[in-house]
Every structure is written in structure tokens, then in C-alpha cells.
Amino acid sequence: NSGSDTFSPGSPVCKIGAMYMIGSSVSPRHNILGLAVDVSGPGDQLKIQSGGIIQLSPENWDIVTGQVGGLSTNAIYYVNSLSRVSPDAPTLSPEYLVKIGVALNNIELLIDLDLIIRL
């Protein structure tokens, strides 16, 4: 983790220059590489998962979604301007629509990074 952000498991990750940062739907943090696998503070090893199924406890998902009870089954998740993983897609400029993946159940997300669309 070469940046100044501390990542929670499931946090969206972007890279700006040589620094890894928590991603969002607003430029320049909209180019999402994947989701953090573990807690990572500045100077710690940062593991990023960019595809496949990531499984986290409902409590971990609650931290990165701001919801309670984990993921919503079958919901499509996006990154929002608050750097949260959310089932609510951004709809206003200057945000970008960045699909993260689909919830298989309340603890598993199938990461399916998609095209980035400027709103």
C-alpha cells in the first residue's frame, strides 16, 4: 500500500501514479482495479482481487457498503462518490458508472468489473 489510505476488506482500489487509493465514482479515482482482500494500512502489503468470487462476512460488507446484513442477493453493485460499494448506481455528472459485480448471496460478490461510463 503505497498510498495514505487504509483499506478495509471489500474496499474499491484504484491506482493514481504510483499510489494506491480507495476508489470512487469521481475522477481521478474512478479506474477501479478490484477490491481489497484484507485490511491494509499505509506501507502494508495490499492484496487486490480483480475477478472471481470474493467472500467476506456480513460485518465486513456492512463497512464498505454502509448497509446492514451484508450484500443484497442478486443485486448489481457499483462504486459511488463516497467510495462505498453500493447497489445504487450513480446517475449524475461528473460521476462515472463503475460496475463492481453481482451479489450471489449476502457474503459473496462475483467481481465483474465492467466498462466505465461517464455520466
Side-chain angles (χ1 to χ4, degrees):
N1 182 357
S2 57
S4 59
D5 292 338
T6 296
F7 295 88
S8 295
S11 294
V13 180
C14 71
K15 187 175 182 185
I16 300 172
M19 291 179 36
Y20 290 96
M21 304 173 90
I22 296 177
S24 82
S25 61
V26 180
S27 181
R29 294 182 179 214
H30 64 287
N31 288 316
I32 306 301
L33 301 174
L35 300 178
V37 175
D38 301 311
V39 173
S40 175
D44 293 341
Q45 181 179 15
L46 174 61
K47 293 180 184 178
I48 303 167
Q49 185 169 337
S50 60
I53 297 171
I54 184 169
Q55 182 177 343
L56 301 173
S57 70
E59 295 78 18
N60 281 92
W61 284 120
D62 292 353
I63 292 168
V64 296
T65 65
Q67 298 179 299
V68 176
L71 301 171
S72 298
T73 302
N74 296 322
I76 298 172
Y77 278 81
Y78 305 88
V79 64
N80 68 21
S81 62
L82 301 174
S83 298
R84 293 196 179 271
V85 176
S86 173
D88 300 318
T91 58
L92 301 173
S93 180
E95 290 184 85
Y96 287 78
L97 182 67
V98 184
K99 179 183 167 196
I100 298 296
V102 178
L104 303 178
N105 50 54
N106 74 323
I107 62 170
E108 295 178 317
L109 182 79
L110 175 60
I111 298 173
D112 183 19
L113 298 173
D114 209 347
L115 295 174
I116 298 170
I117 302 169
R118 185 172 185 180
L119 301 175

